[in-house]
């Protein structure tokens, strides 16, 4: 049954591919997830914070980054450098400064919240800073790290997310046109299995190790006493340090920089769902936020303003929208107010009727259930009396 | 179903069952042999043991650099000199002085006086950034298990405390304990900590006891003791990180008191030796010299003792100090109690171990051999057809309870009035019952039944003891085995044989012989004093298990070795059948 | 013996309760509630999106000089011809009616035929009126209806012509990179930034009140703006780094400017935020060479797609400045024009030459767009519901879907009516279609429709088998035994009888 739906969705999706193959994006988002907790998983926290620093440096604002950290290693009592997180033994860069905004922390990092985040299914009171408010022109960079296995990723020691869940979430995002392109990067053991089940278009994925392969940490810091960065992320960062906002390096360059000698595991890339050629995609398309700023040099404004300055009263032929608006507002303030009041009243009336209809239906349901239970009870009583008589 | 029927038919055809029953005594012997050989021959062979590994990923031993080095040496020497000077003053003054030193760098101190009037000074270093719900103990008794003044150990503890105080990485509190000795005083402190003390630091996660006698700066190698009371062992991870850290710092590790010359050997005999010494230490824990880690048993505290041995050597006292530093750093990383690695294991070398699944068959085989012996006495005689509720069985049970009562009285008596010599003598005398009471006769079925119950009882005791205290179960099983060979004393030859067997399998005589042969510390009567004082001071049950588990069985067997007269027994079921035929 | 009948009855009764009451109850209580959505209706709506829509706009014709009694019929015929010639995604038309006295010139479309010596048209800046000039020759040649029709369709209602008849897909055409996608509520964040900490004040509030508030009121039927203003110190959007080099030009702005401090969208409840940022470099950075100042003002403005407008000043602020209305008003003027670009009402090349008409057409465009987007959302909802059979579909979703369909009918009714026109109608229709869009989004993004792979069918079996398995087995074996016993006893009773006999 699942395959049938898969095929039908795939068919529907393929038919729509032509329409949504949008090469241009206008905003960039990043979702950075660290799924493991405890002190000895320091390196996962450092991985994610390094990525956070990179995307911020290249211009993505905090309001468009969702950072999920499942544990707080900076303030862990075992941290010899309280308040700091380092990703290198030379401790040159402190990743945890004053401007780190963690959106999901501690036990809020759960599978359910992650899926809800991707599909934007929240209750009404979820704050905007914790939602992924993307649209069809958004490029999303999703980075996940932690402990993983075949087709699953462990969240917080107690639950797992399967690759099917992420694939389904992406499908829902595609349905609602919530992304232009997604770049999915994952650094765990057997990471490549996590992207093997994707079926939505315009998703580019890279994972750090194959099936039955582990991903390794790079080095430890003898003062802190734990490993501070993973190999795959270390070499990704090495590449990223050479990128500025105006860089012309492409994603293919990034993929080529991973070798088995460096990473000690086979890095996998999935490009079949992605329309563009990675060698033509700039790294800043996903990691940075580059705006196409346009100069507006039409100087009509000056004339209009000066004209209005010269004539105290409005001329009989205004040619600037502001003049028009000012004129109109002088004439028609009161009538507009009345109109909108009527509309508001009408809208509320409609709502009220609906809610009444709802409530009656619900109570109807409940009543049926009670009747049934009562009937069963009566039946059992009858049996009991009958047997007693005999 | 048909398959089982076929099998059953085959079995009946072959007469397997009667043959099995007939060969029960032999089977029992074979089982016992298998059990003993399993432990001594099979396990130390290549391939049967595993290399140790750290199960809990969070521990990460020696990943952080240890800084207790030359910078601390002078401070340490200073404290050591002062401690040496304090050797001459009384304990109370000594504790006050040291308490003042500790308070200088922020340790909260208190003194605990136990029932015997001995003082224990302890202090708590609160973790500045931790949540203070758990603690690690660093203990240094004033007089170690060998009754030597633990000068180096106590100085090291004080300077380590001062060193730890300057580090902000602790997530657990650190408790320093200076008890008078490593024995009853420390144990009473541990008990008081968990019950009545006011100044506490949370639940204790692990304990390291430092033993560095003498004022020498240098030492040769490190001995690690881990066997706790009543068969309790620290989590294997704890021992593994201690071994790992010690070897990482360059020192050699000796387990279970293996002398230095044999440390480098890595063959079958060295492994066997380490293994058997381990079993011995576990069985005799409490009776032997107590080095400190035994005091923490029973409260789920993973405790080990580190002893620095040797006078000249390449390592200095600060190297020794790095071991507890790194252990604490490691245990500090934990969020949960030790739970990943084994709690029941046997170490064959600092880096080799076997887990319970591998060594348990030894004790199981011994216990099974007793059961088989019991079955043998039940079935392999003419009285096997007696019904379950016949007189003989009831009498047998009664005899068992009487024996139990007697053993209990003996145990309590000796606990208070300690005259072990009397005990050994009376055991000796009782062993000669078959010869002495030549003319008294008891009925044969009683003899068989008594023996059956005795062996069954001992088998139950051993089975219950297997997992919890393997060493004790194994030792008792091995030493008590001769009593299964006792047969009814019908001829004088048999009577002599029985005497000998009774002698060999008497608890006290056997332990006395065993102590003299095997252990240098507990020669002769010392063993009994050891057990009894362990029971009184440390809460070690070995004495009671020997008395209440082993002794009743032996008493019953002794009773059954009195000369027997055979009687004929009426088969009640046959009478029923005859009656029925008559009515029909 | 005699209780056998009772035992049988009890066994049967237990079995009956188990099967006829228990099983349906268990089934009812454990099935995931999936509200029955009108799937077929939505599917047909998706496949034929505009079948029920026929947008009609009434237009009133009057003639100044000559009196043409049937000109409106003739124009109607021409309009229909012209519209038929292009088959676009949406059928729409004009209802050409003669001018009556009750027609409101401010809110309805009026075509005035004026005699002149050339053929042409004009749409004045400040009204919806179309003035078509004709000359006598055209009267004779009877060109006027055609000309009027052409003017109306291709110029007055040019936007509708372009989007409803000429393009393939209404939604795609309305998207471009500069403009935000339409939402009825937009927040505007106006900030003044300076690179150092010298105190500065500005008269933004009176400026806005005088010039911008009327604009907001003017455009409020289409888009509602909420505005906030603020001053940010020590932030020059990293423009200082460009001040040193000589070769910097405004094209380098894309890679240098750092707008992350200003992206305050999370502080406001509206989904979309547009910004106006007025930047002064810090004293340490000095003058910005790439800004070409004119005689009138010292700044240049830049459009950032889907974000807002950057007004960058050449020189730093002197100490303790107060930015007065004189300084701010040209900025507001320029910004208001750029705002229309950002809303999608104008493009850079073409300016807003006929604001009333354009805004009105835009309203209609957005109504249709809302209807289409809502259909798409409902269709996505249906696909989702069908793709995940394990996902619960709560009652609220069904309520929202029904409300949505109802609203759609209302909107369609409003726009299809040939005699309903004028501002009130279009505003109402836009309001309802915005509501429709919102309701559909609510239905799709309901928080209970989270499908996780964690509860597969096998789990149900694993949970229920230990509980119900033994019960069932006992039940059935009891039943079977009760009946078997009867057979046995019957047979033994027979045997007894035989023996006796």
């Amino acid at each position: 049954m699942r395959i049938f739906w898969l095929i039908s969705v795939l068919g529907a999706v393929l038919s729509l591919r032509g329409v949504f193959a949008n090469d241009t994006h206008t905003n960039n988002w990043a979702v950075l997830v660290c799924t493991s907790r405890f002190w000895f998983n320091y390196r996962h926290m450092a991985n994610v914070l390094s990525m956070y620093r990179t995307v911020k440096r290249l211009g993505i604002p905090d309001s468009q980054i969702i950072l999920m950290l499942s544990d707080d290693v900076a303030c862990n009592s075992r941290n010899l450098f309280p308040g700091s997180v380092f990703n290198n033994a030379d401790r040159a860069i402190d990743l945890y400064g004053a401007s780190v905004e963690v959106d999901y922390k501690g036990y809020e990092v759960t599978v359910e919240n992650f899926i809800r985040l991707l599909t934007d299914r929240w209750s009404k009171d979820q704050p905007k800073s914790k939602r992924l408010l993307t649209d069809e022109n958004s490029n999303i960079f999703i980075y996940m790290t932690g402990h993983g296995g075949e087709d699953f990723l462990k969240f917080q020691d107690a639950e797992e997310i399967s690759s099917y869940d992420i694939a389904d979430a992406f499908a829902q995002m595609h349905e609602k046109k919530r992304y232009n392109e997604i770049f999915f990067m994952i650094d765990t053991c057997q990471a490549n299995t996590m992207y093997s089940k994707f079926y939505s278009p315009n998703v580019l994925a890279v994972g750090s190790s194959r099936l039955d392969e582990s991903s390794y940490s790079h080095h430890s810091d003898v003062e802190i006493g734990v490993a501070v960065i993973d190999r795959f992320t270390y070499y990704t960062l090495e590449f990223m340090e050479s990128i500025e906002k105006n860089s012309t390096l492409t994603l293919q360059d990034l993929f080529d920089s991973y070798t088995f000698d460096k990473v000690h595991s086979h890095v996998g890339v999935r490009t079949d769902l992605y329309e563009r050629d990675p060698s033509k995609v700039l790294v800043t398309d996903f990691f940075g936020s580059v705006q196409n700023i346009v100069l507006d040099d039409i100087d009509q404004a000056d004339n209009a303003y000066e004209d209005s300055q010269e004539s105290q009263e409005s001329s009989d032929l205004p040619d600037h929208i502001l003049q028009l608006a000012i004129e109109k507002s002088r004439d028609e303030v009161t009538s507009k107010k009345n109109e909108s009041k009527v509309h508001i009243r009408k809208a509320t009336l409609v709502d009220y009727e609906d809610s009444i209809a709802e409530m009656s239906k619900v109570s109807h349901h409940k009543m049926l259930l009670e009747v049934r239970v009562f009937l069963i009870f009566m039946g059992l009583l009858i049996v009991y009396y009958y047997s007693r008589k005999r | 179903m048909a398959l089982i029927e076929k099998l059953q038919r085959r079995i009946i055809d072959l007469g397997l069952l009667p043959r099995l029953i007939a060969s029960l005594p032999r089977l029992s012997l074979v089982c016992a042999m298998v059990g003993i050989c399993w432990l001594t021959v099979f396990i130390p062979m290549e391939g049967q043991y595993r290399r140790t590994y750290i199960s809990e990923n969070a521990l990460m031993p020696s990943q952080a650099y240890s800084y207790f080095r030359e910078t601390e040496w002078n401070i340490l020497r200073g404290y050591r000199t002062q401690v040496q000077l304090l050797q001459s003053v009384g304990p109370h003054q000594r504790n006050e002085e040291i308490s003042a030193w500790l308070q200088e760098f922020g340790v909260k101190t208190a003194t605990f006086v136990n029932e015997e009037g001995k003082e224990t000074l302890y202090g708590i270093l609160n973790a500045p950034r931790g949540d203070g719900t758990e603690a690690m103990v660093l203990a240094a008794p004033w007089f170690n298990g060998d009754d030597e003044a633990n000068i180096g150990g106590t100085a090291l503890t004080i300077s380590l405390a001062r060193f730890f105080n300057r580090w902000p990485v602790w997530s657990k509190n650190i408790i320093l304990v200076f008890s008078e000795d490593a024995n009853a005083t420390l144990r009473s402190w541990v008990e008081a900590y968990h019950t009545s003390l006011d100044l506490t630091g949370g639940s204790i996660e692990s304990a390291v006891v430092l033993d560095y006698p003498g004022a020498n700066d240098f030492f040769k190698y490190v001995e690690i003791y881990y066997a706790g009371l009543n068969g309790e062992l620290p989590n294997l991870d704890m021992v593994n990180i201690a071994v790992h850290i010690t070897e990482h710092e360059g020192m050699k590790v000796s387990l279970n008191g293996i002398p230095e010359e044999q440390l480098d050997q890595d063959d079958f005999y060295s492994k066997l030796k380490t293994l058997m010494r381990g079993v011995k230490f576990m069985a005799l824990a409490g009776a032997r010299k107590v080095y400190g880690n035994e005091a923490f048993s029973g409260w789920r505290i993973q405790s080990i003792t580190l002893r620095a041995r040797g006078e000249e050597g390449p390592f200095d006292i600060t190297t020794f100090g790095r071991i507890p530093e790194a252990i604490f750093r490691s245990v500090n990383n934990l969020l949960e109690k030790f739970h990943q690695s084994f709690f029941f294991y046997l170490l064959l070398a600092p880096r080799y171990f076997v887990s319970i699944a591998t060594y348990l068959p030894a004790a199981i085989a011994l216990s099974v051999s007793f059961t088989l012996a019991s079955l043998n006495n039940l079935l392999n005689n003419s009285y096997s057809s007696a019904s379950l509720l016949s007189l003989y069985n009831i009498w047998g049970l009664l005899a068992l309870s009487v024996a139990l009562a007697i053993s209990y009285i003996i145990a309590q008596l000796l606990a208070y009035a300690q005259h072990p010599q009397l005990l050994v003598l009376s055991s000796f005398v009782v062993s000669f019952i078959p010869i002495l009471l030549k003319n008294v006769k008891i009925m044969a079925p009683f003899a068989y039944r008594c023996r059956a119950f005795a062996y069954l009882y001992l088998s139950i005791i051993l089975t219950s003891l297997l997992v919890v205290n393997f060493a004790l179960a194994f030792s008792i099983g091995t030493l008590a085995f001769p009593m299964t060979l006792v047969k009814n004393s019908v001829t004088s030859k048999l009577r002599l044989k029985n005497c000998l067997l009774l002698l060999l399998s008497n608890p006290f005589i056997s332990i006395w012989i065993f102590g003299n042969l095997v252990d240098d510390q507990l020669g002769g009567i010392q063993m009994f004093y050891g057990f009894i004082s362990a029971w009184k001071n440390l809460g070690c049950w070995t004495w009671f298990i020997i008395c209440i588990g082993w002794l009743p069985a032996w008493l019953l067997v002794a009773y059954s070795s009195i000369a027997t007269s055979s009687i004929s027994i009426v088969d009640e079921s046959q009478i029923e059948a005859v009656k029925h035929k008559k009515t029909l | 013996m005699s209780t056998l009948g009772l035992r049988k009855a009890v066994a049967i009764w237990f079995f009956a309760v188990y099967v006829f009451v228990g099983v349906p109850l268990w089934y009812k209580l454990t099935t995931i509630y999936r509200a029955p959505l009108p799937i077929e209706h939505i599917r047909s709506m998706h496949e034929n999106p505009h079948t029920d829509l026929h947008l009609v706009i009434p237009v009133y014709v009057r003639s100044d000089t000559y009196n043409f009694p049937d000109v409106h019929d003739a124009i109607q015929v021409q309009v229909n011809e012209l519209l038929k010639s292009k088959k676009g995604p949406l059928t729409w038309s004009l209802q050409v009616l003669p001018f009556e006295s009750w027609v409101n010139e401010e809110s309805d479309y009026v075509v005035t035929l004026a005699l002149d010596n050339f053929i042409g048209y004009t749409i004045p800046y400040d009204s919806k009126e179309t003035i078509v000039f004709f000359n006598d020759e055209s009267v004779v040649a009877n060109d006027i209806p055609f000309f009027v029709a052409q003017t109306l369709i291709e110029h007055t209602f040019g936007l509708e012509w372009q989007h409803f008849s000429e393009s393939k897909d209404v939604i795609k055409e309305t998207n471009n990179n500069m403009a935000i996608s339409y939402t009825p509520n937009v927040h505007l964040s106006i900030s003044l930034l300076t690179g150092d900490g010298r105190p500065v004040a500005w008269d933004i509030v009176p400026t806005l009140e005088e010039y911008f508030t009327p604009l907001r009121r003017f455009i409020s039927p289409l888009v509602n703006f909420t505005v906030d203003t603020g001053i940010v110190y020590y932030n020059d959007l990293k423009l200082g780094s460009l001040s040193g080099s000589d070769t910097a030009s405004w094209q380098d702005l894309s890679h240098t400017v750092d707008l992350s401090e200003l992206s305050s969208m999370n502080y406001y409840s509206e989904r979309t935020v547009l910004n106006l940022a007025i930047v002064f470099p810090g004293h340490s950075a000095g003058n910005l060479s790439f800004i070409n100042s004119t005689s009138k003002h010292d700044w240049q403005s830049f459009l950032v797609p889907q974000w807002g407008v950057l007004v960058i000043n050449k020189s730093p602020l002197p100490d303790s400045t107060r930015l007065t209305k004189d300084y701010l008003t040209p900025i507001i003027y320029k910004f208001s024009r750029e705002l229309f670009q950002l809303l999608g009402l104008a493009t850079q090349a073409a300016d807003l030459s006929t604001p009333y008409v354009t805004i009105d057409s835009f309203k209609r465009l957005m109504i249709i767009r809302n209807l289409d987007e809502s259909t798409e959302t409902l269709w996505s909802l249906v696909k989702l519901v069908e793709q995940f059979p394990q996902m619960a579909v709560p009652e609220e979703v069904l309520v929202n879907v029904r409300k949505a369909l109802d609203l759609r009918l209302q909107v369609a009714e409003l726009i299809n009516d040939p005699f309903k026109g004028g501002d009130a109608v279009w505003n109402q229709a836009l309001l309802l279609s915005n509501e429709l869009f919102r309701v559909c989004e609510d239905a799709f993004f309901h928080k209970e429709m989270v499908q996780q792979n964690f509860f597969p069918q096998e789990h149900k079996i694993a949970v229920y088998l230990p509980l119900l398995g033994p019960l069932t087995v006992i039940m059935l074996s009891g039943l079977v035994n009760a009946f078997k016993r009867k057979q046995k006893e019957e047979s033994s009773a027979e045997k007894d009888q035989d023996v006796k006999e």
Side-chain angles (χ1 to χ4, degrees), chain A residues 21-38:
Chain A
N22 204 352
D23 277 359
T24 53
H25 65 281
T26 58
N27 51 67
N28 285 78
W29 285 73
V31 177
L32 308 169
V33 184
C34 167
T35 60
S36 47
R37 52 171 34 233
F38 300 139

Side-chain angles (χ1 to χ4, degrees), chain C residues 115-176:
Chain C
L115 182 62
D116 209 318
N117 51 6
F118 67 99
I119 301 180
Y121 75 95
T122 174
I123 305 174
Y125 194 79
D126 59 348
S127 79
K128 289 195 202 178
E129 191 186 352
T130 312
I131 304 176
V132 177
F133 300 102
F134 63 96
N135 53 18
D136 290 319
E137 289 85 12
S138 52
V139 178
V140 166
N142 209 13
D143 277 337
I144 295 182
F146 175 72
F147 190 58
V148 173
Q150 194 185 38
T151 309
L152 281 174
I153 301 278
E154 286 179 11
H155 299 289
T156 312
F157 296 106
L159 219 57
E160 283 91 336
W161 176 239
Q162 185 194 348
H163 286 106
F164 296 157
S165 297
E166 285 191 329
S167 73
K168 294 229 176 49
D169 186 4
V170 178
I171 299 179
K172 186 153 195 281
E173 276 297 313
T174 56
N175 280 352
N176 63 59

